[in-house]
C-alpha cells in the first residue's frame, strides 16, 4: 500500500518534472545587424512563425548596428551576457573567434550543404583552421550600375575593360554631371570599391601563405592608379561618401555610373523606377585580364553559446531559416539587396515572388551571377591570419586611397605605405 | 565644527557618486595600461611601462594631440566670437526678445546624431543646400567637397560642432552679462563714456570670471568631443581629424589594442588634468576677486 | 536707452544672421521631411517644397519603435534630472555657503571630472554594470548621465547661490534656523529659477547622450531616441526621407518642451541675479 502510494507519488512527480521541462522552452537571443525598421519587421514575422511552430524553442532578436557592435559584442561576451546567435561578416568572425566565443558549425554546414548546396564563394571565408565558423546566411556583391538610356545617348556600349570604362566615364561627364561616382572616404564602402578594382587586376591576395603581405605589388599599384584616375571624375564630396550618398548621386542622375551592392529599392522608390532602363553589369576588369571578378560579403550567423541545449536549438533554427520556403522571405527583408547563398534558395519561389524582386528580375539574376565570382580581402587563400580583423576594421585599404586622392601621393608610394601599415598592425 | 560635519554630509553624496562612476573605471583604465590586453575580454599580462614607451615613442599620439589642440583652439575661437556676439545682441531690448532668448537654444537641444545627419545631407552634392547657396551668392563657382581636403575637413567639423554649442555658451554669457549691475552703465553714461568704452571698461572685465570658467569647462568638453567627429569623418580624410578621443576609440575598438588605448587615455587624462588644475587655480583666484 | 541708427543697424543685421544660422538648417530639414524622395535628392534643391507627402512619417511610425524610444528618452532624462538636482543642490550650497576643510580641493576635484574622455570609462563601466546586473537597463543610463551632468550643474548652482545676498541668510542664522531649513525654506524659493535652469540642462544632456546609450543598451525596447535614430541610418543604404522625418520627430518633443518651459531656462539663467 505504502509502496504503491510511493510509486504513484514518484510517478506523478516525474510526469510533473518532465512536464515542466517541456514547458520551459530554450530561449535564444539573436543579435542581428539589420537595423532599418522594415528589416527588423520582416525578421520578426519569421521569428513569430518559427516560435509558433517550435513551442520548445523561443528565438528573440535584438537588432544592433554594425557601427557599435565591434565594441559591444566583445564587451558583452567578456561580461558573460553575450548573445547565443550573432550575425557576422568574415572579418568580424575572426575577432569573435579570437576571444573564444564562437562554436564551430562543421556538421550543421555539412548537412545544410548536402540539402541546399551552398554557393562556394559564400562558404569559403568562414572555413579555416580546420573548422567552419559560421553558417552563411546572405550574400552581397558589388556590381556596376548605370542607366541604359544614358549610355545609349552617349553612344556607348557597356564597358567591360578599364580603358572602355575610362572612356565611358569621361563621355558621361560634363554639364554639371559626373561620369562616375566613386567614394574616397575612410570607410568600409571605399574598402569595397577599391578592392573590387584589385580583384579585377589579379591582385586579390593581400597575404602570402606564410602570413607576410603581398599587398605592395605592381598590380595593386595599377588598380589604385586606375581608381584614382576615375575618382577625379566623381563629385567633389565623394571623399566623405558612404553607400547612401553614392546611391543618391545615381538616383538624382548626378552620377552616370556607381559601384554598389544594389540601387534597386532606392531607384524604385526615389528615382524613375523604370526597370527596363536600369542597367547592371560586372565591375570592369583590367585590359589584360580575361574576365571580371568582384568583392562579395558573405554574411553569416555564428553560434555563440556554450550551452549544449541552446546550441542544439540554434541548429534547429538555422536549418529552419535556410529551408527554401522561409529563406526567400528572409532575403527579401530588403528586396534586391541580399542574395541567396544556396542553390535552391536562388530558385525558391519565396524569393522570386516578391513584387520588387520580380520587377527587377533580370537585374537580380545578374547580381547573383556576379556574386559567384566574389572574393573578400584576407579570405582568398583558405588561410586566414588574425590581423585581418584589425586591417578591415581600420579600413587600411581605404586609408591608402586617401593618401593618393587627398594627399596627392603617387600610387606606388601610397601602396608601399599601406603595406607598411598592415605589417605594423600584424606585428602588434 | 557642527557646520563642518553638515557640509560634508551635503558634499558627500555628489562626491562619492562621481568617485564610484568616474573614479573606479579610471583606476581600471590605469591597470589596463600596464598590461597587454588586445581585444576587450581577453586576458593580459603585466608589461610595466612598455605601452607608455611605445605610445610616447610613436608619432600617432603626438599628431593626434596636435590635432586636438587645433580642434580645441578652433572651437574656442569660433564659439567665443559667435556666443559673445549673440549674448550681446540678446542683452539688448528689441521686439521679440523673449522669443529669441528661448529659441536661440534650438541647435543645442537636438541630439548629436541628428546634427550629424542634418549636416551630412546639407553638405552633400545630392540634395544638399549649402553648395547651391554658396554658388548662388558667388562665393564659389562650382560645388566643393567640404571633407575633401585635410584643412577644410577640420574647419567644417569645427563649424558644425560650434553650431551646436555656441547658443548654449551664449546663454551662459548672457547670464554673466545680466549680473553686471545696471547702475554701473548709468554712471558711465553720465560720465560720457561711449558704447565701445563701456564695453572695454565694464562689460569685458566684469564678464571675465564667467568667460574663464566657460573657457575651462568648454575646453575640457570640446577636447572630449567624440561622436560628431566619429560619425562625420571617422578621423579622415588621411587622419586629418583624428583627435585623441578618436584615436582612443579607434585603437580600442578598431585596432583591438585595449591596453594601448588605455595608455593613451591615461596620458590624455594627465594632460587635461594638468590643464584643469592650472586653470581652476586661475579661476578660483578670479572668483575671489569678485 | 536710445540707440543710434548705426547701432540699430548692427543689432538687426546681427539678429538676421543669427536667425539664418540657426533657423535655416531646421527649415530645410522640416520641409525636407515632407518632400517626395525625388525632390529630397534633387541636385538643385528647393527652398520651398514643390511636393507634399507624409509617407516618411508613416513609415517612421509604422515600422520603427519610435514611440518606445521617445518614452525611454523621456523617462531616462526625467530621472537623470531629478537625481542631478538632488545631488547638486546640497553640494553647491556647502561649497558656496559653508566653510569646511578641503573645500577648494573638493570643488576643483569635481570640475576636474571633465578631464577624462568619456571613452576611457566606457569599457570599465560596462564591466562594472555587468557585474551588478545593470547592463541593458535604463538605470545604467541615468547613472551615467548624472555623472556627466553633475559637475557643471554644481558650478551653475553655485553661481545662482552666489547671487543671493548673504544678509538674508545671516538673518535666518541669527534666528537660530539650522542649515537644512535655511536651504529649503529660504534659499530654495529664491533660487527656484536657477534650479529650473540646472534641471533643464541635466534633462537636455541626457536627452542628447549617444555614446554610452549605444553600448549599454542592448534591446530595442530600452533604446533612447539618439540610438534608435542612429539605427535607422542603416548600412549599405540611406533613406533620406525617413531620416529627415526621424530628425524632425526627434526634435519635436524637445521643441514642445521648450515652448512650455523654455523661458524658465533663460529667465533662470538671467533673472536669478538680484539686481
Amino acid at each position: 500500500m505504502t509502496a504503491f502510494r510511493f510509486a504513484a507519488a514518484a510517478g506523478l512527480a516525474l510526469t510533473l518534472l518532465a512536464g515542466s521541462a517541456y514547458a520551459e522552452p530554450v530561449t535564444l537571443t539573436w543579435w542581428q545587424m539589420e537595423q532599418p525598421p522594415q528589416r527588423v519587421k520582416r525578421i520578426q514575422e519569421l521569428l513569430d512563425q518559427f516560435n509558433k511552430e517550435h513551442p520548445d524553442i523561443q528565438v528573440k532578436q535584438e537588432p544592433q548596428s554594425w557601427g557599435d557592435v565591434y565594441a559591444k559584442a566583445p564587451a558583452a561576451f567578456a561580461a558573460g551576457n553575450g548573445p547565443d546567435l550573432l550575425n557576422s561578416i568574415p572579418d568580424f568572425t575572426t575577432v569573435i573567434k579570437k576571444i573564444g566565443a564562437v562554436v564551430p558549425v562543421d556538421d550543421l554546414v555539412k548537412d545544410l550543404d548536402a540539402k541546399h548546396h551552398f554557393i562556394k564563394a559564400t562558404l569559403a571565408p568562414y572555413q579555416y583552421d580546420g573548422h567552419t565558423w559560421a553558417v552563411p546566411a546572405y550574400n552581397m556583391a558589388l556590381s556596376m550600375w548605370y542607366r541604359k538610356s544614358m549610355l545609349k545617348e552617349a553612344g556607348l556600349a557597356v564597358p567591360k575593360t578599364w580603358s572602355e570604362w575610362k572612356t565611358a566615364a569621361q563621355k558621361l561627364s560634363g554639364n554639371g554631371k559626373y561620369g562616375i561616382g566613386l567614394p574616397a572616404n575612410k570607410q568600409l564602402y571605399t574598402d569595397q570599391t577599391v578592392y573590387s578594382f584589385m580583384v579585377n587586376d589579379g591582385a586579390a591576395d593581400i597575404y602570402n601563405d606564410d602570413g607576410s603581405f603581398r599587398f605592395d605589388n605592381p598590380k595593386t599599384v595599377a588598380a589604385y592608379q586606375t581608381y584614382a584616375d576615375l575618382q577625379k571624375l566623381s563629385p567633389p564630396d565623394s571623399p566623405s561618401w558612404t553607400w547612401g550618398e553614392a546611391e543618391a548621386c545615381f538616383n538624382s542622375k548626378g552620377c552616370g555610373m556607381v559601384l554598389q551592392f544594389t540601387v534597386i529599392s532606392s531607384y524604385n522608390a526615389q528615382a524613375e523606377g523604370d526597370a527596363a532602363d536600369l542597367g547592371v553589369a560586372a565591375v570592369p576588369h583590367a585590359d589584360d585580364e580575361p574576365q571580371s571578378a568582384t568583392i562579395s560579403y558573405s554574411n553569416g550567423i555564428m553560434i555563440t553559446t556554450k550551452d549544449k541545449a541552446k546550441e542544439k536549438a540554434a541548429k534547429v533554427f538555422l536549418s529552419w531559416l535556410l529551408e527554401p520556403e522561409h529563406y526567400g522571405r528572409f532575403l527579401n527583408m530588403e528586396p534586391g539587396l541580399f542574395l541567396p547563398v544556396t542553390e535552391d534558395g536562388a530558385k525558391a519561389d519565396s524569393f522570386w515572388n516578391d513584387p520588387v524582386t520580380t520587377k527587377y528580375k533580370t537585374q537580380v539574376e545578374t547580381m547573383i551571377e556576379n556574386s559567384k565570382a566574389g572574393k573578400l580581402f584576407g579570405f582568398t587563400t583558405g588561410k586566414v591570419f588574425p590581423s585581418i580583423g584589425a586591417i578591415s576594421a581600420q579600413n587600411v585599404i581605404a586609408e591608402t586611397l586617401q593618401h593618393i586622392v587627398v594627399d596627392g601621393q603617387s600610387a606606388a608610394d601610397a601602396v608601399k605605405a599601406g603595406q607598411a601599415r598592415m605589417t605594423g598592425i600584424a606585428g602588434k | 565644527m557642527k557646520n563642518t560635519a553638515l557640509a560634508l554630509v551635503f558634499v558627500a553624496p555628489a562626491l562619492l557618486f562621481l568617485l564610484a562612476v568616474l573614479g573606479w573605471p579610471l583606476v581600471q583604465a590605469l591597470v589596463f595600461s600596464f598590461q597587454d590586453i588586445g581585444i576587450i575580454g581577453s586576458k593580459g599580462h603585466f608589461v610595466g611601462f612598455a605601452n607608455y614607451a611605445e605610445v610616447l615613442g610613436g608619432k600617432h599620439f603626438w599628431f593626434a594631440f596636435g590635432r586636438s589642440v587645433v580642434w580645441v583652439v578652433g572651437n574656442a575661437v569660433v564659439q567665443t566670437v559667435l556666443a559673445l556676439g549673440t549674448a550681446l545682441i540678446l542683452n539688448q531690448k528689441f521686439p521679440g526678445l523673449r522669443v529669441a532668448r528661448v529659441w536661440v537654444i534650438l541647435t543645442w537641444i537636438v541630439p548629436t546624431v541628428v546634427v550629424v545627419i542634418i549636416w551630412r545631407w546639407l553638405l552633400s552634392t545630392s540634395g544638399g543646400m549649402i553648395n547651391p547657396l554658396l554658388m548662388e551668392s558667388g562665393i564659389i563657382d562650382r560645388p566643393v567637397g567640404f571633407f575633401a581636403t585635410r584643412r577644410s575637413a577640420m574647419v567644417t567639423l569645427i563649424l558644425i560642432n560650434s553650431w551646436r554649442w555656441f547658443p548654449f555658451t551664449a546663454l551662459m554669457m548672457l547670464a554673466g552679462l545680466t549680473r553686471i549691475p545696471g547702475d554701473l552703465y548709468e554712471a558711465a553714461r553720465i560720465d560720457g563714456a561711449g558704447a565701445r568704452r563701456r564695453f572695454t571698461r565694464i562689460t569685458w572685465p566684469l564678464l571675465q570670471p564667467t568667460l574663464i570658467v566657460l573657457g575651462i569647462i568648454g575646453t575640457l568638453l570640446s577636447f572630449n568631443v567624440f561622436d560628431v567627429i566619429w560619425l562625420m569623418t571617422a578621423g579622415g580624410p588621411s587622419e586629418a581629424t583624428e583627435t585623441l578621443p578618436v584615436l582612443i576609440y579607434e585603437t580600442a575598438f578598431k585596432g583591438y589594442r585595449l591596453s594601448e588605448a588605455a595608455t593613451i587615455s591615461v596620458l590624455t587624462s594627465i594632460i587635461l588634468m594638468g590643464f584643469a588644475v592650472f586653470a581652476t587655480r586661475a579661476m578660483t583666484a578670479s572668483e575671489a576677486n569678485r | 536707452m536710445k540707440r543710434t541708427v548705426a547701432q540699430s543697424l548692427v543689432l538687426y543685421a546681427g539678429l538676421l544672421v543669427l536667425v539664418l544660422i540657426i533657423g535655416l538648417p531646421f527649415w530645410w530639414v522640416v520641409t525636407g521631411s515632407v518632400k517626395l524622395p525625388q525632390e529630397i535628392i534633387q541636385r538643385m534643391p528647393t527652398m520651398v517644397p514643390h511636393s507634399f507627402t507624409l509617407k516618411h512619417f508613416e513609415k517612421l511610425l509604422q515600422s520603427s519603435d519610435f514611440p518606445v524610444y521617445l518614452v525611454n528618452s523621456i523617462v531616462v532624462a526625467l530621472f537623470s534630472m531629478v537625481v542631478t538636482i538632488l545631488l547638486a543642490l546640497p553640494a553647491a550650497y556647502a561649497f558656496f555657503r559653508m566653510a569646511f576643510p578641503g573645500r577648494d580641493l573638493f570643488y576643483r576635484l569635481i570640475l576636474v571630472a571633465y578631464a577624462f574622455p568619456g571613452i576611457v570609462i566606457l569599457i570599465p563601466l560596462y564591466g562594472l554594470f555587468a557585474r551588478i546586473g545593470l547592463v541593458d537597463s535604463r538605470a545604467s543610463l541615468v547613472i551615467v548621465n548624472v555623472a556627466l551632468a553633475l559637475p557643471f550643474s554644481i558650478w551653475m548652482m553655485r553661481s545662482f547661490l552666489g547671487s543671493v545676498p548673504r544678509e538674508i541668510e545671516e538673518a535666518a542664522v541669527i534666528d537660530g534656523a539650522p542649515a537644512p531649513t535655511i536651504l529649503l525654506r529660504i534659499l530654495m524659493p529664491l533660487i527656484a529659477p536657477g534650479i529650473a535652469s540646472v534641471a533643464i540642462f541635466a534633462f537636455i544632456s541626457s536627452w542628447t547622450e549617444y555614446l554610452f546609450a549605444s553600448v549599454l543598451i542592448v534591446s530595442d525596447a530600452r533604446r533612447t531616441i539618439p540610438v534608435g535614430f542612429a539605427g535607422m541610418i542603416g548600412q549599405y543604404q540611406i533613406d533620406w526621407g525617413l531620416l529627415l522625418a526621424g530628425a524632425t520627430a526627434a526634435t519635436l518633443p524637445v521643441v514642445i518642451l521648450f515652448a512650455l518651459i523654455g523661458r524658465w531656462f533663460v529667465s533662470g539663467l538671467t533673472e536669478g541675479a538680484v539686481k
Side-chain angles (χ1 to χ4, degrees), chain A residues 27-33 69 73-74 76-78 80-88 92-105 108 132-135 300-308 310-315 318:
Chain A
T27 304
L28 298 175
T29 307
W30 177 20
W31 282 14
Q32 56 87 0
M33 275 70 90
V69 79
F77 285 121
N81 56 4
D84 307 309
L85 288 163
L86 176 58
N87 273 29
S88 192
F92 187 54
T93 294
T94 66
V95 175
I96 301 302
K97 173 173 172 286
K98 211 168 166 185
I99 54 174
V102 197
V103 180
V105 284
L108 176 63
T132 309
W133 299 101
V135 178
I301 303 176
M302 301 186 288
I303 297 180
T304 50
T305 175
K306 299 270 151 71
D307 182 313
K308 283 290 162 205
K310 284 188 169 191
E311 192 185 325
K312 212 175 137 199
K315 287 179 177 170
L318 292 175

Coordinates of all heavy atoms in Angstrom, one line a residue, chain A residues 27-33 69 73-74 76-78 80-88 92-105 108 132-135 300-308 310-315 318:
Chain A
T27 N 15.4 29.5 -24.7 CA 15.3 30.8 -25.3 C 16.7 31.2 -25.9 O 17.7 31.1 -25.2 CB 15.0 31.8 -24.2 OG1 13.8 31.4 -23.6 CG2 14.8 33.2 -24.8
L28 N 16.6 31.6 -27.1 CA 17.8 32.1 -27.8 C 17.8 33.6 -28.1 O 16.8 34.1 -28.6 CB 18.0 31.3 -29.2 CG 18.1 29.8 -29.1 CD1 18.1 29.3 -30.5 CD2 19.4 29.4 -28.4
T29 N 18.9 34.2 -27.8 CA 19.0 35.6 -28.1 C 19.8 35.8 -29.4 O 20.9 35.3 -29.5 CB 19.6 36.4 -27.0 OG1 18.9 36.1 -25.8 CG2 19.6 37.9 -27.2
W30 N 19.3 36.5 -30.3 CA 19.9 36.7 -31.6 C 20.2 38.1 -31.9 O 19.3 38.9 -32.0 CB 19.0 36.1 -32.7 CG 19.6 36.2 -34.1 CD1 20.8 36.4 -34.5 CD2 18.8 36.1 -35.3 NE1 20.9 36.5 -35.9 CE2 19.7 36.3 -36.4 CE3 17.4 35.9 -35.6 CZ2 19.2 36.3 -37.8 CZ3 17.0 35.9 -36.9 CH2 17.9 36.1 -38.0
W31 N 21.5 38.5 -32.0 CA 21.9 39.8 -32.3 C 22.1 39.8 -33.8 O 23.0 39.2 -34.4 CB 23.2 40.2 -31.7 CG 23.1 40.6 -30.2 CD1 22.0 40.3 -29.4 CD2 24.1 41.2 -29.4 NE1 22.3 40.8 -28.1 CE2 23.5 41.4 -28.1 CE3 25.4 41.7 -29.7 CZ2 24.2 42.0 -27.1 CZ3 26.1 42.3 -28.6 CH2 25.5 42.4 -27.4
Q32 N 21.3 40.7 -34.5 CA 21.5 40.8 -35.9 C 21.6 42.2 -36.3 O 21.1 43.1 -35.6 CB 20.3 40.1 -36.7 CG 18.9 40.7 -36.3 CD 18.5 41.9 -37.1 OE1 19.3 42.3 -38.0 NE2 17.4 42.4 -36.9
M33 N 22.4 42.5 -37.3 CA 22.8 43.9 -37.6 C 22.0 44.5 -38.8 O 22.5 45.3 -39.5 CB 24.3 44.0 -37.8 CG 25.1 44.1 -36.5 SD 25.1 42.7 -35.5 CE 26.5 41.8 -36.1
V69 N 28.7 47.4 -32.8 CA 28.7 46.0 -32.4 C 30.2 45.5 -32.2 O 30.4 44.7 -31.3 CB 28.0 45.1 -33.4 CG1 28.8 44.8 -34.6 CG2 27.6 43.8 -32.7
A73 N 29.9 43.7 -28.7 CA 29.9 42.3 -28.6 C 31.0 41.7 -27.8 O 30.8 40.9 -26.8 CB 29.9 41.6 -30.0
P74 N 32.3 42.1 -28.0 CA 33.3 41.6 -27.1 C 33.1 42.0 -25.7 O 33.3 41.2 -24.8 CB 34.6 42.3 -27.7 CG 34.3 42.7 -29.1 CD 32.8 43.0 -29.1
A76 N 30.3 42.4 -24.2 CA 29.2 41.6 -23.7 C 29.7 40.2 -23.4 O 29.3 39.6 -22.4 CB 28.0 41.6 -24.7
F77 N 30.5 39.6 -24.3 CA 31.0 38.3 -24.1 C 31.9 38.2 -22.8 O 31.8 37.3 -22.0 CB 31.7 37.7 -25.3 CG 30.8 37.3 -26.4 CD1 30.9 37.9 -27.7 CD2 29.8 36.3 -26.2 CE1 30.1 37.5 -28.7 CE2 29.0 36.0 -27.2 CZ 29.1 36.5 -28.5
A78 N 32.7 39.3 -22.7 CA 33.6 39.3 -21.6 C 32.8 39.4 -20.3 O 33.2 38.8 -19.3 CB 34.5 40.6 -21.7
G80 N 29.9 38.1 -19.9 CA 29.0 37.0 -19.7 C 27.6 37.2 -20.1 O 26.8 36.3 -19.8
N81 N 27.3 38.2 -20.8 CA 25.9 38.4 -21.3 C 25.8 38.6 -22.8 O 25.0 39.3 -23.3 CB 25.2 39.5 -20.5 CG 25.9 40.8 -20.6 OD1 26.9 40.9 -21.3 ND2 25.4 41.8 -19.9
G82 N 26.6 37.8 -23.5 CA 26.6 37.9 -24.9 C 25.4 37.1 -25.5 O 24.7 36.4 -24.8
P83 N 25.1 37.3 -26.8 CA 24.0 36.6 -27.4 C 24.3 35.2 -27.7 O 25.5 34.7 -27.5 CB 23.9 37.4 -28.7 CG 25.2 37.9 -29.1 CD 25.9 38.2 -27.7
D84 N 23.3 34.4 -28.1 CA 23.5 33.0 -28.5 C 23.8 32.8 -30.0 O 24.4 31.9 -30.4 CB 22.3 32.2 -28.1 CG 21.9 32.4 -26.6 OD1 22.9 32.3 -25.7 OD2 20.8 32.7 -26.3
L85 N 23.2 33.7 -30.7 CA 23.4 33.8 -32.2 C 23.8 35.2 -32.5 O 23.3 36.1 -32.0 CB 22.1 33.5 -32.9 CG 21.5 32.0 -32.8 CD1 20.1 32.0 -33.3 CD2 22.4 31.1 -33.7
L86 N 24.8 35.2 -33.4 CA 25.4 36.6 -33.7 C 25.7 36.6 -35.2 O 26.4 35.8 -35.8 CB 26.6 36.8 -32.9 CG 27.4 38.1 -33.2 CD1 26.6 39.3 -32.9 CD2 28.7 38.1 -32.3
N87 N 25.1 37.6 -35.9 CA 25.4 37.8 -37.3 C 26.8 38.2 -37.5 O 27.4 38.8 -36.6 CB 24.5 38.9 -37.9 CG 23.2 38.3 -38.3 OD1 22.7 37.3 -37.8 ND2 22.6 38.9 -39.4
S88 N 27.3 38.0 -38.7 CA 28.8 38.3 -38.9 C 29.1 38.5 -40.3 O 28.3 38.2 -41.2 CB 29.6 37.1 -38.4 OG 30.9 37.4 -38.3
F92 N 34.7 40.1 -38.9 CA 34.1 40.2 -37.6 C 34.2 38.8 -36.9 O 34.5 38.7 -35.7 CB 32.7 40.6 -37.6 CG 32.0 40.9 -36.3 CD1 32.6 41.7 -35.4 CD2 30.8 40.3 -35.9 CE1 32.0 42.0 -34.1 CE2 30.2 40.5 -34.7 CZ 30.8 41.4 -33.8
T93 N 34.1 37.7 -37.7 CA 34.2 36.4 -37.1 C 35.6 36.2 -36.5 O 35.7 35.6 -35.5 CB 33.9 35.3 -38.2 OG1 32.5 35.4 -38.6 CG2 34.2 33.9 -37.7
T94 N 36.6 36.7 -37.2 CA 38.0 36.5 -36.7 C 38.1 37.1 -35.3 O 38.8 36.6 -34.4 CB 39.1 37.0 -37.6 OG1 39.0 38.5 -37.6 CG2 39.0 36.5 -39.0
V95 N 37.4 38.2 -35.1 CA 37.5 38.9 -33.8 C 36.8 38.1 -32.7 O 37.4 37.9 -31.6 CB 36.9 40.3 -33.9 CG1 36.9 41.0 -32.6 CG2 37.6 41.2 -34.9
I96 N 35.6 37.6 -33.0 CA 34.9 36.9 -32.0 C 35.5 35.5 -31.7 O 35.5 35.0 -30.6 CB 33.4 36.8 -32.5 CG1 32.8 38.2 -32.7 CG2 32.6 36.0 -31.5 CD1 32.8 39.0 -31.5
K97 N 36.1 35.0 -32.8 CA 36.8 33.7 -32.6 C 38.0 33.9 -31.7 O 38.3 33.0 -30.9 CB 37.2 33.2 -34.0 CG 38.1 32.0 -34.0 CD 38.3 31.5 -35.4 CE 39.4 30.4 -35.5 NZ 40.7 30.8 -35.3
K98 N 38.6 35.0 -31.8 CA 39.8 35.2 -31.0 C 39.5 35.3 -29.5 O 40.4 34.9 -28.7 CB 40.5 36.6 -31.4 CG 42.0 36.6 -31.3 CD 42.5 37.8 -32.0 CE 43.9 38.1 -31.7 NZ 44.3 39.4 -32.3
I99 N 38.4 35.8 -29.1 CA 38.1 35.8 -27.7 C 37.4 34.5 -27.3 O 36.9 34.3 -26.2 CB 37.2 37.0 -27.3 CG1 35.9 37.1 -28.1 CG2 38.0 38.2 -27.4 CD1 35.0 38.1 -27.7
G100 N 37.3 33.5 -28.2 CA 36.9 32.2 -27.9 C 35.4 32.1 -27.7 O 34.9 31.2 -26.9
A101 N 34.6 32.9 -28.4 CA 33.2 32.9 -28.1 C 32.4 32.1 -29.2 O 31.2 31.9 -29.1 CB 32.6 34.3 -28.0
V102 N 33.1 31.7 -30.3 CA 32.4 31.0 -31.4 C 32.4 29.5 -31.3 O 33.5 29.0 -30.9 CB 32.9 31.4 -32.8 CG1 32.0 31.1 -33.9 CG2 33.3 32.9 -32.8
V103 N 31.3 28.9 -31.6 CA 31.3 27.4 -31.6 C 31.3 27.0 -33.1 O 30.6 27.5 -33.9 CB 30.0 26.9 -31.0 CG1 29.9 25.4 -31.0 CG2 29.9 27.4 -29.6
P104 N 32.2 26.1 -33.5 CA 32.2 25.6 -34.9 C 30.9 25.0 -35.3 O 30.2 24.4 -34.4 CB 33.4 24.6 -34.9 CG 34.2 24.8 -33.7 CD 33.3 25.4 -32.7
V105 N 30.6 25.1 -36.6 CA 29.3 24.5 -37.0 C 29.6 23.5 -38.2 O 28.8 23.5 -39.1 CB 28.4 25.7 -37.5 CG1 27.8 26.4 -36.3 CG2 29.1 26.7 -38.4
L108 N 26.7 20.9 -39.0 CA 25.5 21.6 -39.4 C 25.7 22.1 -40.9 O 24.8 21.9 -41.7 CB 25.2 22.8 -38.5 CG 24.0 23.7 -38.9 CD1 22.7 22.9 -38.9 CD2 23.9 24.9 -38.0
T132 N 34.4 25.2 -39.7 CA 33.6 26.2 -40.3 C 33.0 27.0 -39.1 O 32.5 26.4 -38.1 CB 32.4 25.5 -41.0 OG1 32.9 24.6 -41.9 CG2 31.6 26.6 -41.8
W133 N 33.1 28.3 -39.2 CA 32.8 29.2 -38.1 C 31.5 29.9 -38.1 O 31.1 30.5 -37.1 CB 34.0 30.2 -37.9 CG 35.3 29.5 -37.7 CD1 36.3 29.4 -38.6 CD2 35.7 28.9 -36.5 NE1 37.3 28.7 -38.0 CE2 37.0 28.4 -36.7 CE3 35.2 28.7 -35.2 CZ2 37.7 27.7 -35.8 CZ3 35.9 28.0 -34.2 CH2 37.2 27.5 -34.5
A134 N 30.8 29.8 -39.2 CA 29.5 30.5 -39.3 C 28.7 29.8 -40.4 O 29.3 29.2 -41.3 CB 29.6 32.0 -39.6
V135 N 27.4 29.9 -40.3 CA 26.5 29.4 -41.4 C 26.2 30.6 -42.3 O 25.7 31.6 -41.9 CB 25.2 28.9 -40.8 CG1 24.3 28.5 -41.9 CG2 25.5 27.8 -39.8
G300 N 27.2 35.8 -42.4 CA 26.9 34.5 -41.8 C 26.3 34.7 -40.4 O 26.2 35.8 -39.9
I301 N 25.8 33.6 -39.9 CA 25.3 33.6 -38.5 C 26.2 32.7 -37.7 O 26.3 31.5 -38.1 CB 23.8 33.2 -38.4 CG1 23.0 34.1 -39.3 CG2 23.3 33.3 -37.0 CD1 21.5 33.8 -39.4
M302 N 26.7 33.2 -36.6 CA 27.6 32.4 -35.7 C 26.8 31.9 -34.5 O 25.9 32.5 -34.1 CB 28.7 33.2 -35.2 CG 29.6 33.8 -36.3 SD 31.1 34.6 -35.6 CE 30.4 36.1 -34.9
I303 N 27.1 30.7 -34.1 CA 26.5 30.2 -32.8 C 27.5 30.6 -31.7 O 28.7 30.2 -31.8 CB 26.3 28.7 -32.9 CG1 25.3 28.4 -33.9 CG2 25.8 28.2 -31.5 CD1 24.9 26.9 -34.1
T304 N 27.1 31.3 -30.7 CA 28.0 31.8 -29.7 C 27.5 31.5 -28.3 O 27.5 32.3 -27.4 CB 28.1 33.3 -29.8 OG1 26.8 33.9 -29.9 CG2 28.8 33.8 -31.1
T305 N 27.1 30.2 -28.1 CA 26.7 29.8 -26.8 C 27.4 28.5 -26.5 O 27.7 27.7 -27.4 CB 25.2 29.6 -26.7 OG1 24.9 29.0 -25.4 CG2 24.7 28.6 -27.8
K306 N 27.8 28.3 -25.2 CA 28.5 27.1 -24.8 C 27.5 26.1 -24.3 O 27.8 25.0 -24.0 CB 29.5 27.5 -23.7 CG 30.6 28.4 -24.2 CD 31.8 27.7 -24.8 CE 32.5 28.5 -25.9 NZ 33.2 29.7 -25.4
D307 N 26.2 26.5 -24.1 CA 25.2 25.7 -23.5 C 24.7 24.7 -24.6 O 24.3 25.1 -25.7 CB 24.0 26.6 -23.1 CG 22.9 25.8 -22.4 OD1 22.5 24.8 -23.0 OD2 22.5 26.3 -21.4
K308 N 24.8 23.4 -24.3 CA 24.5 22.3 -25.3 C 23.1 22.4 -25.8 O 22.8 22.3 -27.0 CB 24.8 20.9 -24.7 CG 26.3 20.6 -24.7 CD 26.9 20.4 -26.0 CE 28.4 20.5 -26.0 NZ 29.0 20.9 -27.3
K310 N 21.1 24.9 -25.9 CA 21.0 26.1 -26.7 C 21.6 25.9 -28.1 O 21.1 26.3 -29.1 CB 21.6 27.3 -26.0 CG 20.8 27.9 -24.9 CD 21.4 29.2 -24.4 CE 20.4 29.9 -23.5 NZ 20.8 31.3 -23.2
E311 N 22.8 25.3 -28.1 CA 23.4 25.0 -29.3 C 22.6 24.2 -30.3 O 22.4 24.5 -31.4 CB 24.8 24.3 -29.1 CG 25.7 24.3 -30.3 CD 27.0 23.5 -30.0 OE1 27.5 23.5 -28.8 OE2 27.4 22.8 -30.9
K312 N 21.9 23.2 -29.7 CA 21.1 22.3 -30.4 C 19.9 23.1 -31.0 O 19.5 23.0 -32.2 CB 20.6 21.2 -29.5 CG 20.3 19.9 -30.2 CD 20.0 18.8 -29.2 CE 18.9 17.9 -29.7 NZ 18.2 17.2 -28.7
A313 N 19.3 23.9 -30.1 CA 18.2 24.7 -30.5 C 18.6 25.7 -31.7 O 17.8 25.9 -32.6 CB 17.6 25.5 -29.4
A314 N 19.8 26.2 -31.5 CA 20.2 27.2 -32.6 C 20.4 26.5 -33.9 O 20.0 27.1 -35.0 CB 21.6 27.7 -32.1
K315 N 20.8 25.2 -33.9 CA 20.9 24.5 -35.1 C 19.6 24.2 -35.8 O 19.4 24.3 -37.0 CB 21.7 23.2 -34.9 CG 23.2 23.4 -34.6 CD 23.9 22.2 -34.3 CE 25.4 22.5 -34.2 NZ 26.2 21.4 -33.7
L318 N 18.6 27.6 -37.4 CA 19.3 27.9 -38.6 C 18.9 27.0 -39.8 O 18.8 27.4 -40.9 CB 20.8 27.8 -38.4 CG 21.3 28.9 -37.4 CD1 22.8 28.7 -37.1 CD2 21.1 30.3 -38.0

